Amino acid sequence: MNTLLSILNKKFGIEKLGIKKIENVVMDSRKIEKNSLFFAINNGNSYIQSVLDNGAAMVVADNYHGDDKRVIKVEDTIVAMQEIAKEYRKALDLKIVAITGSNGKTTTKDIVYSVLKEKYRCRKTLGNYNNHIGVPYTILQCDEQDEVLILEMGMSNFGEIDLLCKIALPDYGIITNIGDSHLEFLKNRENVCKAKTEMLKYIDPQSTILFGDDYYLKNIPGIKVGCGNNNDFQIKNIIDNENGVSFEIGDEKYFLPLNGTHNAFNAAMAVVVAKLFKMAYMSINKGLEALEISAMRFQKIEKGEIVYINDAYNASPISMDYSLETFSNLFNDKIKIAALGDMLELGEKEIEYHRHVINKAISLNIDKIFLYGQRMKEALGALEDKKRVFHFDSKDDIAKQIESISGSRAVLLKGSRGMRMEEIIK
């Protein structure tokens, strides 16, 4: 009897159902296989009979009015999944690396995974499953042979990281930085820091990696990584070109096939995690060079004479600055166009932040700046220098304008997820 089934038997007393094994755990009714455990969340309750007909061994549901014994009725499906995931995590011989921060969580997760899998059997958060549903769901995807799970932890308010840590009980932690994301709810960076660092009470400082150049993190107990002299692991000689970024820590040189000084920071934190896992230098570098990044993170897409840099997964003032600076330093043989969409959830100072981003773009080596969204439009209205800056009411109009420009072009696409700036690519 597998570990998960044993936990389900203990919690729900399902021995009488005669289930021999749970093969997989799903929330999407379209992914049901034989012997699946299905969590009916929200509209998922409407598909209970369908998943049973398609081979589900068991369903956990909070809105079921039938009498099929394979359906376990609970007060709240999400809470039940969280409780089961917590018990499953305790039962597994698994080390968990939890990653949070205002920017770079997903990229850092991908880098850590790419490195650690050179030595260990690893899993990682898939897609954006980084919240109160995604984290327990990800834990339930593990099996008894897995050795390491790299979990991304997102939040928008107080208490959310604390809840995720209570479920995941992480062994190692990474905080990438403290920025301006979620100010609509948290108001200022001090509160963002308080919310992100809820992780710290669950992890020993000697297993906690912090970006030591960050004003809010530099004095928090933990292993500091950054460019400043105060760091435990100092990053030096960062070189960024169109192939990726190289950097040094001590006497060791590393290369990451991804652009951006900020990604050197992310990679350096992954290097330190690997050192805590007793990995050798050659294996660490091999893992870095084998990186497969999640889509829409400075992703290069070539379409004829146009190279699109699809960095449109999400945006904040800090990540906008990082992307614009990186883009400014690359593709100097091309006409460079930055297509920038609104940044969301920034609170009462949102127009000020958008104005800052526009001014940043103007100050850099970028030929044309195309803006999309009401916030960008309002921010542009107060600026005097608009020679290279244009606002468009539709992404189709931006796409047509890019196509109308002759010659070799590089186009940066950046904006919050809700703006879907990648739709400019035709």
Side-chain angles (χ1 to χ4, degrees), residues 27 41-42 78 81-82 85 99 105 125-139 151-156 160-161 163-165 167-168 313:
M27 298 185 294
I41 296 174
N42 299 328
I78 295 172
M81 182 167 69
Q82 291 170 346
I99 302 172
K105 293 185 295 296
T125 301
L126 297 177
N128 61 347
Y129 284 172
N130 65 5
N131 64 4
H132 66 296
I133 298 174
V135 165
Y137 179 72
T138 300
I139 291 170
L151 277 179
E152 179 181 335
M153 292 187 173
M155 47 70 65
S156 59
E160 295 177 9
I161 295 294
L163 171 64
L164 300 183
C165 287
I167 297 167
Y313 181 76

Side-chain angles (χ1 to χ4, degrees), residues 1-10 14 18-22 58 88:
M1 184 178 295
N2 63 2
T3 301
L4 180 55
L5 185 54
S6 176
I7 290 168
L8 293 169
N9 279 333
K10 183 177 179 180
I14 59 171
I19 301 171
K20 300 300 182 185
K21 190 174 183 180
I22 297 295
M58 176 179 163
Y88 188 52

Side-chain angles (χ1 to χ4, degrees), residues 213-227:
D213 295 346
D214 188 288
Y215 173 81
Y216 293 94
L217 298 176
K218 63 183 180 181
N219 294 320
I220 292 174
I223 301 170
K224 307 299 195 318
V225 182
C227 296

Side-chain angles (χ1 to χ4, degrees), residues 110-163:
D110 289 338
I111 300 171
V112 171
Y113 172 78
S114 187
V115 171
L116 293 186
K117 72 181 177 65
E118 289 295 318
K119 183 176 180 180
Y120 299 96
R121 176 163 170 161
C122 296
R123 289 187 190 255
K124 65 175 179 176
T125 301
L126 297 177
N128 61 347
Y129 284 172
N130 65 5
N131 64 4
H132 66 296
I133 298 174
V135 165
Y137 179 72
T138 300
I139 291 170
L140 290 169
Q141 302 308 302
C142 294
D143 62 40
E144 293 166 41
Q145 286 72 49
D146 290 325
E147 297 173 288
V148 182
L149 172 62
I150 299 100
L151 277 179
E152 179 181 335
M153 292 187 173
M155 47 70 65
S156 59
N157 217 328
F158 293 117
E160 295 177 9
I161 295 294
D162 185 70
L163 171 64

